[in-house]
Amino acid sequence: MNKWTNAAKKRRAVIDAASVKAADLEIIVSALRELPPGQLKKVFTDPVLAVLEKYQVTADE
C-alpha cells in the first residue's frame, strides 16, 4: 500500500507544479493582452503567435 501512496504523492507534486506554471503563464498572457496593436508580430515567431491565439491573444488586435 505504501508504494501507491508514494506514487500518488509524486503525481500530486507534478500536478501542483503544472498548476503553478499555468498560473504564471496566465499572468504573462494577461500582460501580453495589454500591448498595443501589432506589437506581438514584431516580437514573436509564427508558432509562438499560434500558441498565443489559443488563449485569445492575437497580434491583429
Side-chain angles (χ1 to χ4, degrees):
M1 191 68 163
N2 195 22
K3 182 190 280 186
W4 284 102
T5 304
N6 290 339
K9 287 179 183 177
K10 288 180 183 179
R11 180 65 182 143
R12 183 63 186 180
V14 170
I15 291 169
D16 289 343
S19 296
V20 169
K21 288 179 186 178
D24 290 345
L25 288 176
E26 184 59 38
I27 293 168
I28 294 169
V29 167
S30 65
L32 290 174
R33 285 188 183 122
E34 296 176 11
L35 288 175
Q39 292 297 310
L40 294 176
K41 285 183 180 178
K42 294 179 182 179
V43 178
F44 295 117
T45 61
D46 289 337
V48 174
L49 291 173
V51 170
L52 290 173
E53 285 179 15
K54 288 186 350 185
Y55 300 99
Q56 289 78 40
V57 178
T58 59
D60 299 328
E61 292 179 352

Short mmCIF file of all heavy atoms in Angstrom, two decimals:
data_model
loop_
_atom_site.label_atom_id
_atom_site.label_comp_id
_atom_site.label_asym_id
_atom_site.label_seq_id
_atom_site.Cartn_x
_atom_site.Cartn_y
_atom_site.Cartn_z
N MET A 1 0.82 -1.19 0.00
CA MET A 1 0.00 0.00 0.00
C MET A 1 0.87 1.26 0.00
O MET A 1 0.49 2.26 -0.58
CB MET A 1 -0.92 -0.02 1.22
CG MET A 1 -1.99 1.03 1.16
SD MET A 1 -3.13 0.65 -0.16
CE MET A 1 -4.46 1.66 0.30
N ASN A 2 2.02 1.19 0.64
CA ASN A 2 2.92 2.34 0.71
C ASN A 2 3.41 2.75 -0.67
O ASN A 2 3.62 3.92 -0.94
CB ASN A 2 4.08 2.05 1.64
CG ASN A 2 4.83 3.30 2.03
OD1 ASN A 2 4.28 4.38 1.96
ND2 ASN A 2 6.07 3.15 2.43
N LYS A 3 3.58 1.76 -1.56
CA LYS A 3 4.03 2.06 -2.92
C LYS A 3 3.02 2.96 -3.62
O LYS A 3 3.38 3.91 -4.30
CB LYS A 3 4.21 0.76 -3.71
CG LYS A 3 4.73 0.98 -5.12
CD LYS A 3 4.67 -0.28 -5.95
CE LYS A 3 5.82 -1.19 -5.66
NZ LYS A 3 5.86 -2.34 -6.56
N TRP A 4 1.72 2.69 -3.44
CA TRP A 4 0.68 3.51 -4.05
C TRP A 4 0.67 4.91 -3.45
O TRP A 4 0.49 5.91 -4.15
CB TRP A 4 -0.69 2.86 -3.89
CG TRP A 4 -0.90 1.73 -4.82
CD1 TRP A 4 -0.82 0.40 -4.53
CD2 TRP A 4 -1.19 1.80 -6.21
NE1 TRP A 4 -1.04 -0.35 -5.64
CE2 TRP A 4 -1.28 0.49 -6.69
CE3 TRP A 4 -1.38 2.86 -7.09
CZ2 TRP A 4 -1.55 0.20 -8.02
CZ3 TRP A 4 -1.65 2.57 -8.42
CH2 TRP A 4 -1.73 1.25 -8.86
N THR A 5 0.89 5.01 -2.17
CA THR A 5 0.92 6.30 -1.51
C THR A 5 2.07 7.15 -2.05
O THR A 5 1.90 8.34 -2.32
CB THR A 5 1.05 6.13 0.01
OG1 THR A 5 -0.02 5.31 0.47
CG2 THR A 5 1.00 7.46 0.72
N ASN A 6 3.24 6.55 -2.18
CA ASN A 6 4.39 7.28 -2.71
C ASN A 6 4.15 7.71 -4.15
O ASN A 6 4.50 8.84 -4.53
CB ASN A 6 5.66 6.43 -2.62
CG ASN A 6 6.12 6.24 -1.19
OD1 ASN A 6 5.77 7.02 -0.31
ND2 ASN A 6 6.89 5.19 -0.95
N ALA A 7 3.57 6.85 -4.95
CA ALA A 7 3.27 7.20 -6.35
C ALA A 7 2.26 8.34 -6.41
O ALA A 7 2.39 9.24 -7.24
CB ALA A 7 2.75 5.97 -7.09
N ALA A 8 1.27 8.29 -5.55
CA ALA A 8 0.25 9.34 -5.52
C ALA A 8 0.87 10.68 -5.10
O ALA A 8 0.53 11.73 -5.64
CB ALA A 8 -0.88 8.96 -4.57
N LYS A 9 1.79 10.65 -4.15
CA LYS A 9 2.46 11.87 -3.71
C LYS A 9 3.31 12.46 -4.83
O LYS A 9 3.31 13.68 -5.03
CB LYS A 9 3.33 11.59 -2.49
CG LYS A 9 2.54 11.36 -1.22
CD LYS A 9 3.45 11.05 -0.06
CE LYS A 9 2.65 10.73 1.20
NZ LYS A 9 3.52 10.36 2.33
N LYS A 10 4.01 11.60 -5.57
CA LYS A 10 4.82 12.08 -6.70
C LYS A 10 3.93 12.67 -7.78
O LYS A 10 4.24 13.72 -8.35
CB LYS A 10 5.65 10.94 -7.28
CG LYS A 10 6.79 10.52 -6.39
CD LYS A 10 7.59 9.38 -7.02
CE LYS A 10 8.69 8.92 -6.10
NZ LYS A 10 9.44 7.80 -6.68
N ARG A 11 2.83 12.02 -8.08
CA ARG A 11 1.91 12.52 -9.11
C ARG A 11 1.31 13.85 -8.68
O ARG A 11 1.16 14.76 -9.47
CB ARG A 11 0.82 11.49 -9.38
CG ARG A 11 -0.16 11.91 -10.41
CD ARG A 11 0.50 12.06 -11.77
NE ARG A 11 -0.47 12.52 -12.74
CZ ARG A 11 -0.20 13.37 -13.72
NH1 ARG A 11 1.01 13.79 -13.90
NH2 ARG A 11 -1.14 13.76 -14.53
N ARG A 12 0.97 13.96 -7.40
CA ARG A 12 0.40 15.20 -6.87
C ARG A 12 1.41 16.34 -7.00
O ARG A 12 1.04 17.48 -7.32
CB ARG A 12 -0.03 15.01 -5.41
CG ARG A 12 -0.68 16.20 -4.81
CD ARG A 12 -1.95 16.51 -5.52
NE ARG A 12 -2.49 17.75 -5.01
CZ ARG A 12 -3.59 18.29 -5.43
NH1 ARG A 12 -4.30 17.70 -6.36
NH2 ARG A 12 -4.02 19.41 -4.94
N ALA A 13 2.69 16.05 -6.77
CA ALA A 13 3.72 17.07 -6.90
C ALA A 13 3.83 17.56 -8.35
O ALA A 13 3.99 18.75 -8.60
CB ALA A 13 5.06 16.53 -6.42
N VAL A 14 3.70 16.63 -9.30
CA VAL A 14 3.73 17.00 -10.72
C VAL A 14 2.53 17.88 -11.06
O VAL A 14 2.66 18.89 -11.76
CB VAL A 14 3.76 15.73 -11.60
CG1 VAL A 14 3.55 16.06 -13.05
CG2 VAL A 14 5.08 14.99 -11.41
N ILE A 15 1.37 17.50 -10.57
CA ILE A 15 0.15 18.27 -10.84
C ILE A 15 0.26 19.67 -10.22
O ILE A 15 -0.10 20.66 -10.85
CB ILE A 15 -1.09 17.52 -10.31
CG1 ILE A 15 -1.32 16.27 -11.15
CG2 ILE A 15 -2.32 18.42 -10.30
CD1 ILE A 15 -2.36 15.33 -10.58
N ASP A 16 0.77 19.75 -9.00
CA ASP A 16 0.93 21.05 -8.34
C ASP A 16 1.90 21.94 -9.11
O ASP A 16 1.66 23.14 -9.27
CB ASP A 16 1.39 20.88 -6.90
CG ASP A 16 0.30 20.31 -6.00
OD1 ASP A 16 -0.88 20.35 -6.40
OD2 ASP A 16 0.65 19.82 -4.91
N ALA A 17 2.99 21.35 -9.60
CA ALA A 17 3.97 22.13 -10.37
C ALA A 17 3.34 22.64 -11.65
O ALA A 17 3.58 23.79 -12.05
CB ALA A 17 5.19 21.27 -10.66
N ALA A 18 2.53 21.83 -12.30
CA ALA A 18 1.86 22.25 -13.53
C ALA A 18 0.87 23.37 -13.24
O ALA A 18 0.73 24.30 -14.04
CB ALA A 18 1.15 21.07 -14.18
N SER A 19 0.21 23.32 -12.12
CA SER A 19 -0.73 24.38 -11.75
C SER A 19 -0.01 25.71 -11.51
O SER A 19 -0.49 26.77 -11.91
CB SER A 19 -1.49 23.99 -10.48
OG SER A 19 -2.29 22.87 -10.72
N VAL A 20 1.15 25.64 -10.90
CA VAL A 20 1.94 26.85 -10.67
C VAL A 20 2.40 27.44 -12.00
O VAL A 20 2.31 28.66 -12.22
CB VAL A 20 3.14 26.55 -9.75
CG1 VAL A 20 4.11 27.72 -9.70
CG2 VAL A 20 2.66 26.21 -8.35
N LYS A 21 2.85 26.59 -12.91
CA LYS A 21 3.27 27.05 -14.23
C LYS A 21 2.11 27.70 -14.97
O LYS A 21 2.27 28.74 -15.60
CB LYS A 21 3.82 25.90 -15.06
CG LYS A 21 5.16 25.41 -14.62
CD LYS A 21 5.61 24.24 -15.49
CE LYS A 21 6.88 23.62 -14.98
NZ LYS A 21 7.30 22.46 -15.78
N ALA A 22 0.94 27.08 -14.90
CA ALA A 22 -0.23 27.62 -15.59
C ALA A 22 -0.60 28.99 -15.02
O ALA A 22 -0.94 29.91 -15.77
CB ALA A 22 -1.40 26.66 -15.46
N ALA A 23 -0.52 29.14 -13.72
CA ALA A 23 -0.84 30.43 -13.10
C ALA A 23 0.17 31.49 -13.53
O ALA A 23 -0.21 32.63 -13.82
CB ALA A 23 -0.85 30.29 -11.58
N ASP A 24 1.44 31.11 -13.59
CA ASP A 24 2.47 32.06 -14.03
C ASP A 24 2.26 32.47 -15.48
O ASP A 24 2.37 33.64 -15.83
CB ASP A 24 3.86 31.45 -13.88
CG ASP A 24 4.28 31.30 -12.42
OD1 ASP A 24 3.64 31.91 -11.55
OD2 ASP A 24 5.26 30.58 -12.18
N LEU A 25 1.93 31.51 -16.32
CA LEU A 25 1.70 31.81 -17.73
C LEU A 25 0.46 32.68 -17.92
O LEU A 25 0.42 33.52 -18.82
CB LEU A 25 1.61 30.53 -18.55
CG LEU A 25 2.93 29.80 -18.73
CD1 LEU A 25 2.72 28.49 -19.48
CD2 LEU A 25 3.93 30.66 -19.46
N GLU A 26 -0.53 32.51 -17.09
CA GLU A 26 -1.73 33.35 -17.17
C GLU A 26 -1.38 34.81 -16.89
O GLU A 26 -1.91 35.72 -17.53
CB GLU A 26 -2.81 32.87 -16.21
CG GLU A 26 -4.10 33.63 -16.31
CD GLU A 26 -4.73 33.59 -17.69
OE1 GLU A 26 -4.67 32.55 -18.36
OE2 GLU A 26 -5.29 34.62 -18.10
N ILE A 27 -0.46 35.05 -15.98
CA ILE A 27 0.00 36.41 -15.69
C ILE A 27 0.67 37.00 -16.92
O ILE A 27 0.42 38.16 -17.30
CB ILE A 27 0.95 36.41 -14.49
CG1 ILE A 27 0.19 36.04 -13.21
CG2 ILE A 27 1.63 37.77 -14.33
CD1 ILE A 27 1.07 35.74 -12.03
N ILE A 28 1.51 36.20 -17.57
CA ILE A 28 2.21 36.67 -18.77
C ILE A 28 1.23 36.95 -19.90
O ILE A 28 1.31 37.99 -20.57
CB ILE A 28 3.27 35.64 -19.21
CG1 ILE A 28 4.37 35.57 -18.14
CG2 ILE A 28 3.85 35.98 -20.57
CD1 ILE A 28 5.33 34.41 -18.33
N VAL A 29 0.28 36.06 -20.10
CA VAL A 29 -0.70 36.23 -21.17
C VAL A 29 -1.55 37.48 -20.92
O VAL A 29 -1.82 38.25 -21.85
CB VAL A 29 -1.58 34.98 -21.30
CG1 VAL A 29 -2.80 35.23 -22.16
CG2 VAL A 29 -0.77 33.83 -21.88
N SER A 30 -1.92 37.72 -19.69
CA SER A 30 -2.73 38.91 -19.42
C SER A 30 -1.93 40.19 -19.69
O SER A 30 -2.49 41.18 -20.16
CB SER A 30 -3.26 38.90 -17.99
OG SER A 30 -2.22 38.99 -17.05
N ALA A 31 -0.63 40.16 -19.43
CA ALA A 31 0.21 41.32 -19.75
C ALA A 31 0.34 41.50 -21.26
O ALA A 31 0.35 42.62 -21.76
CB ALA A 31 1.58 41.17 -19.11
N LEU A 32 0.45 40.40 -21.99
CA LEU A 32 0.55 40.47 -23.44
C LEU A 32 -0.71 41.06 -24.07
O LEU A 32 -0.64 41.74 -25.08
CB LEU A 32 0.84 39.10 -24.03
CG LEU A 32 2.23 38.53 -23.76
CD1 LEU A 32 2.32 37.10 -24.27
CD2 LEU A 32 3.30 39.39 -24.40
N ARG A 33 -1.85 40.79 -23.45
CA ARG A 33 -3.12 41.33 -23.97
C ARG A 33 -3.16 42.85 -23.91
O ARG A 33 -3.91 43.48 -24.64
CB ARG A 33 -4.29 40.76 -23.17
CG ARG A 33 -4.62 39.35 -23.50
CD ARG A 33 -5.91 38.92 -22.80
NE ARG A 33 -6.16 37.53 -23.08
CZ ARG A 33 -6.28 36.58 -22.15
NH1 ARG A 33 -6.19 36.88 -20.88
NH2 ARG A 33 -6.51 35.34 -22.50
N GLU A 34 -2.36 43.43 -23.04
CA GLU A 34 -2.37 44.87 -22.87
C GLU A 34 -1.44 45.61 -23.83
O GLU A 34 -1.44 46.84 -23.85
CB GLU A 34 -2.00 45.21 -21.43
CG GLU A 34 -3.01 44.70 -20.43
CD GLU A 34 -2.60 44.94 -18.99
OE1 GLU A 34 -1.62 45.68 -18.76
OE2 GLU A 34 -3.24 44.39 -18.10
N LEU A 35 -0.65 44.89 -24.61
CA LEU A 35 0.26 45.53 -25.56
C LEU A 35 -0.52 46.24 -26.66
O LEU A 35 -1.62 45.82 -27.02
CB LEU A 35 1.18 44.49 -26.19
CG LEU A 35 2.26 43.92 -25.29
CD1 LEU A 35 3.01 42.81 -26.03
CD2 LEU A 35 3.22 44.99 -24.84
N PRO A 36 0.05 47.29 -27.22
CA PRO A 36 -0.61 47.98 -28.34
C PRO A 36 -0.74 47.07 -29.55
O PRO A 36 0.04 46.12 -29.71
CB PRO A 36 0.34 49.14 -28.65
CG PRO A 36 1.23 49.28 -27.48
CD PRO A 36 1.28 47.94 -26.82
N PRO A 37 -1.71 47.35 -30.42
CA PRO A 37 -1.91 46.51 -31.62
C PRO A 37 -0.64 46.41 -32.46
O PRO A 37 0.09 47.38 -32.64
CB PRO A 37 -3.01 47.25 -32.38
CG PRO A 37 -3.71 48.06 -31.35
CD PRO A 37 -2.68 48.43 -30.34
N GLY A 38 -0.37 45.22 -32.96
CA GLY A 38 0.75 44.99 -33.85
C GLY A 38 2.07 44.69 -33.18
O GLY A 38 3.02 44.29 -33.84
N GLN A 39 2.18 44.87 -31.88
CA GLN A 39 3.45 44.65 -31.20
C GLN A 39 3.85 43.18 -31.14
O GLN A 39 5.04 42.86 -31.19
CB GLN A 39 3.39 45.22 -29.78
CG GLN A 39 3.33 46.72 -29.74
CD GLN A 39 4.57 47.35 -30.33
OE1 GLN A 39 5.67 47.00 -29.97
NE2 GLN A 39 4.38 48.26 -31.27
N LEU A 40 2.88 42.29 -31.05
CA LEU A 40 3.21 40.87 -30.95
C LEU A 40 3.91 40.37 -32.21
O LEU A 40 4.84 39.55 -32.13
CB LEU A 40 1.95 40.04 -30.69
CG LEU A 40 1.27 40.27 -29.34
CD1 LEU A 40 -0.01 39.46 -29.26
CD2 LEU A 40 2.19 39.93 -28.21
N LYS A 41 3.48 40.84 -33.36
CA LYS A 41 4.10 40.39 -34.61
C LYS A 41 5.56 40.80 -34.70
O LYS A 41 6.36 40.14 -35.35
CB LYS A 41 3.35 40.96 -35.81
CG LYS A 41 2.03 40.29 -36.07
CD LYS A 41 1.41 40.87 -37.33
CE LYS A 41 0.08 40.21 -37.62
NZ LYS A 41 -0.56 40.80 -38.79
N LYS A 42 5.92 41.88 -34.05
CA LYS A 42 7.29 42.37 -34.10
C LYS A 42 8.22 41.54 -33.22
O LYS A 42 9.43 41.53 -33.44
CB LYS A 42 7.35 43.83 -33.65
CG LYS A 42 6.65 44.77 -34.59
CD LYS A 42 6.72 46.19 -34.08
CE LYS A 42 5.97 47.13 -34.99
NZ LYS A 42 5.99 48.51 -34.49
N VAL A 43 7.67 40.87 -32.22
CA VAL A 43 8.49 40.19 -31.23
C VAL A 43 8.50 38.67 -31.39
O VAL A 43 9.54 38.04 -31.24
CB VAL A 43 8.01 40.56 -29.80
CG1 VAL A 43 8.81 39.85 -28.75
CG2 VAL A 43 8.06 42.06 -29.60
N PHE A 44 7.35 38.08 -31.72
CA PHE A 44 7.22 36.62 -31.70
C PHE A 44 7.18 36.01 -33.10
O PHE A 44 6.75 36.65 -34.05
CB PHE A 44 5.95 36.21 -30.95
CG PHE A 44 5.98 36.56 -29.49
CD1 PHE A 44 5.08 37.45 -28.95
CD2 PHE A 44 6.93 36.01 -28.64
CE1 PHE A 44 5.11 37.79 -27.61
CE2 PHE A 44 6.96 36.33 -27.30
CZ PHE A 44 6.06 37.22 -26.78
N THR A 45 7.58 34.74 -33.18
CA THR A 45 7.52 33.99 -34.43
C THR A 45 6.11 33.46 -34.64
O THR A 45 5.28 33.48 -33.72
CB THR A 45 8.51 32.81 -34.40
OG1 THR A 45 8.13 31.93 -33.33
CG2 THR A 45 9.94 33.28 -34.21
N ASP A 46 5.84 32.95 -35.83
CA ASP A 46 4.51 32.42 -36.15
C ASP A 46 4.08 31.28 -35.22
O ASP A 46 2.92 31.27 -34.77
CB ASP A 46 4.44 31.98 -37.60
CG ASP A 46 4.44 33.17 -38.56
OD1 ASP A 46 4.06 34.28 -38.13
OD2 ASP A 46 4.82 32.98 -39.73
N PRO A 47 4.94 30.31 -34.88
CA PRO A 47 4.49 29.26 -33.96
C PRO A 47 4.11 29.80 -32.58
O PRO A 47 3.14 29.35 -31.98
CB PRO A 47 5.70 28.33 -33.86
CG PRO A 47 6.48 28.56 -35.10
CD PRO A 47 6.27 30.01 -35.43
N VAL A 48 4.84 30.79 -32.10
CA VAL A 48 4.51 31.38 -30.81
C VAL A 48 3.19 32.13 -30.89
O VAL A 48 2.35 32.04 -29.99
CB VAL A 48 5.64 32.32 -30.32
CG1 VAL A 48 5.25 33.04 -29.06
CG2 VAL A 48 6.93 31.54 -30.12
N LEU A 49 2.98 32.85 -31.98
CA LEU A 49 1.71 33.57 -32.16
C LEU A 49 0.54 32.59 -32.23
O LEU A 49 -0.55 32.88 -31.72
CB LEU A 49 1.77 34.43 -33.42
CG LEU A 49 2.71 35.63 -33.35
CD1 LEU A 49 2.81 36.30 -34.72
CD2 LEU A 49 2.27 36.61 -32.29
N ALA A 50 0.75 31.42 -32.84
CA ALA A 50 -0.31 30.41 -32.92
C ALA A 50 -0.69 29.92 -31.53
O ALA A 50 -1.88 29.73 -31.22
CB ALA A 50 0.13 29.25 -33.79
N VAL A 51 0.29 29.73 -30.67
CA VAL A 51 0.00 29.30 -29.29
C VAL A 51 -0.74 30.41 -28.55
O VAL A 51 -1.72 30.14 -27.85
CB VAL A 51 1.31 28.93 -28.55
CG1 VAL A 51 1.05 28.72 -27.07
CG2 VAL A 51 1.94 27.70 -29.17
N LEU A 52 -0.32 31.64 -28.71
CA LEU A 52 -1.00 32.75 -28.03
C LEU A 52 -2.44 32.91 -28.49
O LEU A 52 -3.31 33.26 -27.70
CB LEU A 52 -0.22 34.05 -28.25
CG LEU A 52 1.12 34.15 -27.54
CD1 LEU A 52 1.86 35.40 -27.96
CD2 LEU A 52 0.94 34.12 -26.04
N GLU A 53 -2.70 32.64 -29.78
CA GLU A 53 -4.07 32.73 -30.29
C GLU A 53 -5.00 31.73 -29.61
O GLU A 53 -6.20 31.98 -29.48
CB GLU A 53 -4.08 32.56 -31.79
CG GLU A 53 -3.57 33.78 -32.52
CD GLU A 53 -3.55 33.62 -34.03
OE1 GLU A 53 -4.19 32.68 -34.54
OE2 GLU A 53 -2.88 34.43 -34.68
N LYS A 54 -4.45 30.60 -29.15
CA LYS A 54 -5.27 29.63 -28.41
C LYS A 54 -5.82 30.24 -27.14
O LYS A 54 -6.85 29.84 -26.63
CB LYS A 54 -4.46 28.38 -28.07
CG LYS A 54 -4.20 27.52 -29.26
CD LYS A 54 -3.53 26.19 -29.01
CE LYS A 54 -2.95 25.82 -27.74
NZ LYS A 54 -2.23 24.54 -27.73
N TYR A 55 -5.13 31.25 -26.62
CA TYR A 55 -5.53 31.91 -25.39
C TYR A 55 -6.11 33.30 -25.64
O TYR A 55 -6.05 34.17 -24.79
CB TYR A 55 -4.35 31.96 -24.42
CG TYR A 55 -3.88 30.57 -24.08
CD1 TYR A 55 -2.78 30.02 -24.71
CD2 TYR A 55 -4.56 29.80 -23.16
CE1 TYR A 55 -2.36 28.74 -24.43
CE2 TYR A 55 -4.15 28.51 -22.86
CZ TYR A 55 -3.06 27.99 -23.51
OH TYR A 55 -2.65 26.71 -23.24
N GLN A 56 -6.61 33.50 -26.85
CA GLN A 56 -7.27 34.74 -27.25
C GLN A 56 -6.35 35.96 -27.17
O GLN A 56 -6.80 37.07 -26.92
CB GLN A 56 -8.54 35.00 -26.44
CG GLN A 56 -9.68 34.08 -26.74
CD GLN A 56 -9.54 32.73 -26.10
OE1 GLN A 56 -9.11 32.63 -24.98
NE2 GLN A 56 -9.88 31.67 -26.82
N VAL A 57 -5.08 35.77 -27.40
CA VAL A 57 -4.14 36.88 -27.53
C VAL A 57 -3.75 36.91 -29.01
O VAL A 57 -3.05 36.04 -29.48
CB VAL A 57 -2.88 36.69 -26.66
CG1 VAL A 57 -1.91 37.84 -26.86
CG2 VAL A 57 -3.27 36.56 -25.21
N THR A 58 -4.24 37.91 -29.75
CA THR A 58 -3.96 37.95 -31.17
C THR A 58 -3.09 39.14 -31.51
O THR A 58 -3.12 40.17 -30.84
CB THR A 58 -5.27 38.03 -31.99
OG1 THR A 58 -5.97 39.20 -31.61
CG2 THR A 58 -6.14 36.82 -31.73
N ALA A 59 -2.32 38.98 -32.58
CA ALA A 59 -1.39 40.04 -32.99
C ALA A 59 -2.11 41.14 -33.78
O ALA A 59 -1.56 42.21 -33.98
CB ALA A 59 -0.29 39.43 -33.85
N ASP A 60 -3.33 40.89 -34.21
CA ASP A 60 -4.04 41.83 -35.07
C ASP A 60 -4.93 42.80 -34.31
O ASP A 60 -5.52 43.67 -34.91
CB ASP A 60 -4.89 41.07 -36.10
CG ASP A 60 -4.01 40.21 -36.98
OD1 ASP A 60 -2.86 40.60 -37.24
OD2 ASP A 60 -4.49 39.15 -37.42
N GLU A 61 -5.06 42.62 -33.04
CA GLU A 61 -5.99 43.47 -32.27
C GLU A 61 -5.57 44.91 -32.28
O GLU A 61 -4.46 45.28 -32.28
CB GLU A 61 -6.09 42.97 -30.82
CG GLU A 61 -6.76 41.63 -30.74
CD GLU A 61 -6.81 41.13 -29.29
OE1 GLU A 61 -6.21 41.76 -28.40
OE2 GLU A 61 -7.47 40.14 -29.05
#
